[in-house]
Amino acid sequence: MSDPLTTGQGPVGVHYHQFLVTDPGGPVAEDETGASHTGLVGITAGDATVHTGIHTGDVDVTVTAHRQPPPPDAGEWEEIAEISLHSPTGTLQVTPLMTDLDEDLPDLAAAGPGAYRLRVHARGRDQAVDLAPHTITEHYLLQCWPQPPAPAQLLRATDDYGSRLRAEQTHQTRVTTHTPRGQHRQEHDILRRSLGG
């Protein structure tokens, strides 16, 4: 069993159905893995993107950093998925898309720079789809540990929202162009400044 080295919990702001896991020093992966591939988490423009049911608002996020792979949490999670990440600086931080957290959650990169596995658990995504609720309706658990890269994996798939995202993926042809390194972060900074963040 892998007890967490660090753990933390708090609200995370969601905009446009997403919040991120980022490394301030660069992309966490070069290849794009659309969030709709697992219906929960993927790589978009160099960041890990967690896909939420709500459009805008706060979700409850718990993070745990480990040195060894932990078992998936035994709670009543509706979706569980895993992807691989790379942390160039040894910092993997949960961040909202357009604002900063009021209080930072702990760093997920327990072993410094290198390759990691991120497992995301979710529940409540069907409660307020596409809405901006004033109370928290969605809960997430992010577990992270050092591990060589491996394909994305869907461990549990029981919510309607995830099913819808996976169905959209199979019915679309996506053309992905490479975003020059650093451009994604510049766009985020410009968007944050324009919104007064």
Side-chain angles (χ1 to χ4, degrees):
M1 183 168 167
S2 174
D3 292 329
L5 296 172
T6 60
T7 186
Q9 181 179 9
V12 174
V14 167
H15 299 279
Y16 300 102
H17 291 281
Q18 58 192 296
F19 66 91
L20 308 173
V21 177
T22 66
D23 185 308
V28 298
E30 296 290 345
D31 295 332
E32 298 287 307
T33 304
S36 54
H37 173 71
T38 66
L40 180 56
V41 61
I43 303 297
T44 307
D47 293 319
T49 302
V50 179
H51 225 57
T52 65
I54 65 170
H55 181 278
T56 305
D58 286 341
V59 295
D60 178 66
V61 177
T62 300
V63 298
T64 60
H66 304 260
R67 287 208 185 270
Q68 300 294 326
D73 188 81
E76 296 180 1
W77 302 103
E78 296 161 345
E79 298 267 320
I80 305 174
E82 292 181 4
I83 60 169
S84 292
L85 307 175
H86 176 76
S87 176
T89 68
T91 299
L92 289 171
Q93 195 71 47
V94 174
T95 64
L97 180 63
M98 290 192 239
T99 59
D100 293 324
L101 287 177
D102 291 336
E103 188 172 323
D104 287 344
L105 292 171
D107 181 8
L108 286 166
Y116 286 86
R117 191 70 169 171
L118 176 69
R119 181 185 296 137
V120 179
H121 306 65
R123 71 172 174 265
R125 294 195 303 166
D126 291 338
Q127 291 185 26
V129 174
D130 297 330
L131 301 177
H134 295 293
T135 59
I136 289 178
T137 59
E138 297 183 30
H139 301 269
Y140 294 84
L141 167 64
L142 279 60
Q143 297 172 317
C144 193
W145 63 93
Q147 180 177 305
Q153 190 174 16
L154 184 60
L155 304 177
R156 184 176 300 164
T158 63
D159 73 21
D160 291 336
Y161 189 70
S163 178
R164 186 175 96 188
L165 292 180
R166 288 184 291 276
E168 288 173 4
Q169 177 69 19
T170 60
H171 290 84
Q172 300 179 19
T173 301
R174 289 183 52 191
V175 177
T176 304
T177 58
H178 178 70
T179 301
R181 177 170 261 168
Q183 180 178 331
H184 180 65
R185 294 197 189 285
Q186 291 169 353
E187 290 169 352
H188 277 265
D189 290 342
I190 291 167
L191 190 53
R192 282 181 185 169
R193 283 194 299 272
S194 70
L195 294 172

